[in-house]
Amino acid sequence: MKHLIGENWHSLETNNIVSLFESDINNGLLPLSIKHREDFFGKNMLKHVKKDSNLKKFFMQFHNTLIYILLGASIVTAFLHEWIDSGVIFSVVIINVIIGYLQEVKAEEAIESLKNMMVTEAVVIRDGVKSVIYSTDLVPGDIVLVESGSKVPADIRLLECNNLKVDESMLTGESVAALKNLDLHDGDVTINDRDNMAYSGTYVTYGRAKGIVVATAGYTELGKIAHLIENTTSMETPLTKKISAFSKLLLYVILALATFTFVVGILRDNSAVDTFMASVALAVGAIPEGLPAALTITLAIGVSRMAKKNAIIRKLPAVETLGSVTTICSDKTGTLTQNKMNVRAIYSSNSTYEVTGNGYEPKGNFLIDNNKVETLDDELKELLRAGYLCNESYLLYKDNQYSINGDPTEGSLIVTALKAGYEEDKLNKNFPRSDILAFESDRQFMATINFDTTNNQNILFLKGSVEKTLDICTHELVDGLHVDLDKDKILQKVEEFASDGLRVLAIGKKLIKGSKIDERLLDNDFVFLGLVAMMDPPRPEAIEAVKESIGAGINVIMITGDHALTAFSIAKMMSIVDENTKIEGSVITGKELFSMSDKELVQKVSHVKVFARVEPEQKLRIVDALQANGKVVAMTGDGVNDAPALKQADIGIAMGMGGTEVAKEAADMILSDDNFSSISHAVREGRTVFNNLIKFITWTLPTNLGEGLVILFAIMLGVTLPILPVQILWINMATAICLGLMLVYEPEEKDIMLKQPRNPKSPILSKDMIVQMLVVGLYMLITSYTMFNYALSLGYSIEYARSVAVNIFVFIELFYLFSCKELHTSIFKTNIFNNKFLLFGVALMTLLQVTFTHSKFMQLMFKSESLHVETWIQIIVISFCVVFVVEGQRLISLFTYKKSSSHS
């Protein structure tokens, strides 16, 4: 039966398809054939994907270079019998692991969500009998029946079709239900244009049909998406990539220095045990114990802040990724737009009206040349009344929200009539319907007969395509008179509306005697009432969010299943493309993508702003092409069709209210209010998170450098260690917790959304930051050694001198902390009081350091000694001078930069 898999069923004659499946259009499959197909194809449901156990997920949190470094430090300190220090470091490891696990513990449930979407009931004909079965029991070749309200149970090729409309937005992104027919199509047409097919998981909004099942389970279009999600590789974030590389480099450097220290000590005939302990001290000093904790806590704080702004983070590192985003690929329907059809313009009696209002709330005005029309013309009111009456949808009001039961296009006509002041009860009472002719694709219009109780006459209303409606109209209503139809003038107006991306309907009427629709009544003599132009409007807040994103140097691209002209018009409204931009060269369609090689796409993708009529696989190709160009890509979306690209993107952003569960589970971040503007808040927060992490790294590494150099120089010179390993641990852990971690609470910088996105290829630290860290590290080395030897020269004990060195390190870090609040601004221009957590940390660190120095318990544990007042004064003065050292280094860097810029 392998020949039944993967055919272009939309391009084959129905008789051939029925024969291929050995089925019967009237009687369906026979029981024996059904059994064979069940054995071969299996159940019509998606297979379970094997997932990692929670225990494995927990232990995978240890798979991190910095965690390895911390575990090594814990083992080494345990080997030194410093059980308290070993326990503290191990506790830091466990905290890191638990936080990471709790953020990541919710496994990928996208496949389960897709599976749940497929479970439904189906009406099937088997062995000549019509019955209802679970959709999971369907097999290829089954004859199924669908009608309004049904969920399509499998991919089916339509055999009979009666006014069938299917909501395929979950697959195609189109907000308007697709009108189905039995016409054949070329093999390479996209899903959007396969009008003779209905796909699993979509919904029938109108009409009924009979079809033959051509694909089930993983072979359906929905199943292919599930396969795409399952086989898509989640990307590492820019920060995790850089931290991983940085951690590995740091590990190699630490091991090399420790080995070098041990070798030098042995060559100098030092004790092997003492030399080994000194090497351990160097390793412990060089390890930034607070970095993994700072990374995790900073990201966790970002998660908390974003949650308050309606952005729910599912994966912790995604917080930082937002700050690195260079490109946002956004779905149109429901993300940039409201997914609600609105009438935007009307042509009636030679006048063009603009209609205001949003969504389905029946509030809005009618404007001519931007001026509000206080009293509507009778011709306009008659047009709106006809649109309301020639209609099969309903306006609902529930939970303080308006919605439409039925076709969104018809719903927009109802809402517009109510904006004009019509009341539904009165219209229904005064114009009762006596007959209806439903919309059919070959006819291209629908019609109703309503009895006018006031004038005691029957009116035949008609609504449909412009071309067909004009063909049967002989007159038009102008200023209350029936005048000859000016077809050219009307078509010119249609072209004007279409160029703005509006969908145009024509409405007409004629007076008749009977109360039943006769085909002969539909040939001619209709009076043209006017044109109604509608669209799925942009979200106003999304327009501002797009502008802010572009202002922040982020490229915004629209990817949609909608028509090119509609998508391009929306892109103009959203400021994604400039007003003067031509559609040629700015839009690529799904059909063009099919014939485009990956290499061609990589070359063109950075210059295209709109991709229209695309399919899920193509969205993946677009994201891949952007990433091949070195872009950090965010993908927003809400439909099933978005899920694979959401997972492949550097960060996937799903809509929380209107989004499918599939999209949510595939995404890294969910917008709980479905508001695109929340993305700009998230980007702002992401940039702040990254800035604060850089501040922490810039602050903490000079200490590790200084400590490592102190040990290295002591071994090379053959002198006593100025600082013991246990004292190094105190410095690293106490300052990291009390001082360094307070930097993660730094508020955002004022110009953060005016800067260009960071280059993903750029290193974590700039050359200026590296120079600054080297300068501060050397300052720590020089001052600590000098004060250590000065104390010894005055006759103080080795414990006293080491206490001086420890305090030099701590208080240099304390004052240097204020220089790190702003990495590119003078401390004298920085508000040092705008972070209350930092001020608290400074006070706490000062108290702890006094305790460390003067408490008997701490002296016993850390081998410290009380210091005299004059020594304290010397420590504070020398430590404070680091501020001027950093200021001098920054001035030199600025001068060097300006000099090089002037030469270039």
Side-chain angles (χ1 to χ4, degrees), residues 24 57 77 177 190 202 300 364 448 519 688 696 711 772 789 817 831:
D24 185 280
K57 291 172 193 169
T77 48
T190 62
T202 60
T448 63
E519 290 286 347
T688 300
F696 177 85
I711 303 299
Q772 179 176 302
N789 289 316
L817 185 72
N831 181 0

Side-chain angles (χ1 to χ4, degrees), residues 13 87 121 145 268 279 308 471 643 824 885:
E13 293 284 354
E121 290 184 333
L145 305 175
R268 293 183 62 88
S279 299
K308 294 176 182 177
D471 284 345
H824 304 287
V885 172

Side-chain angles (χ1 to χ4, degrees), residues 696-717:
F696 177 85
I697 293 171
T698 305
W699 170 84
T700 193
L701 290 187
T703 304
N704 302 113
L705 175 64
E707 291 166 344
L709 290 174
V710 164
I711 303 299
L712 183 61
F713 271 74
I715 295 297
M716 292 181 68
L717 297 175

Side-chain angles (χ1 to χ4, degrees), residues 546-617:
V546 168
K547 289 180 179 177
E548 184 174 37
S549 297
I550 293 173
I554 299 170
N555 183 31
V556 180
I557 297 174
M558 180 190 292
I559 304 178
T560 178
D562 218 333
H563 293 280
L565 187 59
T566 302
F568 185 69
S569 299
I570 293 290
K572 276 191 173 182
M573 295 179 191
M574 303 295 305
S575 299
I576 293 174
V577 297
D578 296 330
E579 276 294 324
N580 299 323
T581 303
K582 301 295 184 182
I583 191 170
E584 294 80 11
S586 300
V587 179
I588 290 181
T589 64
K591 197 167 186 178
E592 292 170 327
L593 279 175
F594 269 124
S595 60
M596 192 179 294
S597 68
D598 290 342
K599 186 176 180 180
E600 288 177 304
L601 181 57
V602 169
Q603 291 173 344
K604 292 183 178 181
V605 70
S606 296
H607 308 290
V608 177
K609 297 289 188 180
V610 179
F611 290 88
R613 307 295 280 174
V614 298
E615 297 188 12
E617 296 90 341

Side-chain angles (χ1 to χ4, degrees), residues 475-494:
H475 296 81
E476 60 180 302
L477 183 63
V478 178
D479 297 330
L481 302 175
H482 293 180
V483 302
D484 290 341
L485 184 72
D486 190 341
K487 194 171 183 179
D488 291 338
K489 175 188 66 179
I490 295 170
L491 290 175
Q492 185 177 352
K493 180 59 65 174
V494 171

Side-chain angles (χ1 to χ4, degrees), residues 263-370:
V263 172
V264 169
I266 295 298
L267 292 175
R268 293 183 62 88
D269 294 327
N270 293 338
S271 165
V273 175
D274 291 342
T275 303
F276 177 73
M277 292 304 178
S279 299
V280 168
L282 186 146
V284 170
I287 293 172
E289 288 90 347
L291 184 54
L295 175 61
T296 305
I297 293 171
T298 303
L299 296 178
I301 290 170
V303 168
S304 177
R305 287 177 177 173
M306 288 183 180
K308 294 176 182 177
K309 297 179 181 178
N310 303 307
I312 309 302
I313 299 296
R314 292 188 65 245
K315 299 173 184 177
L316 198 58
V319 178
E320 178 275 331
T321 313
L322 282 160
S324 310
V325 164
T326 60
T327 304
I328 297 177
C329 296
S330 177
D331 184 47
K332 178 185 75 68
T333 304
T335 306
L336 293 171
T337 65
Q338 300 175 24
N339 201 15
K340 298 175 181 178
M341 293 298 289
N342 277 187
V343 173
R344 310 309 285 174
I346 295 173
Y347 175 74
S348 170
S349 187
N350 291 334
S351 296
T352 302
Y353 298 85
E354 178 187 349
V355 184
T356 65
N358 286 304
Y360 293 132
E361 185 176 9
K363 290 183 180 179
N365 297 311
F366 296 81
L367 312 177
I368 293 182
D369 296 330
N370 293 322

Side-chain angles (χ1 to χ4, degrees), residues 117 149-152 165-168 170 199 201-205:
M117 290 184 69
S150 301
K151 180 189 285 187
V152 179
K165 291 184 181 180
V166 181
D167 179 0
E168 296 180 333
M170 60 174 287
Y199 291 102
T202 60
Y203 289 88
V204 177
T205 62

Side-chain angles (χ1 to χ4, degrees), residues 616-627:
E617 296 90 341
Q618 295 175 323
K619 292 187 176 188
L620 269 178
R621 284 189 67 200
I622 294 166
V623 172
D624 283 337
L626 286 165
Q627 290 172 336

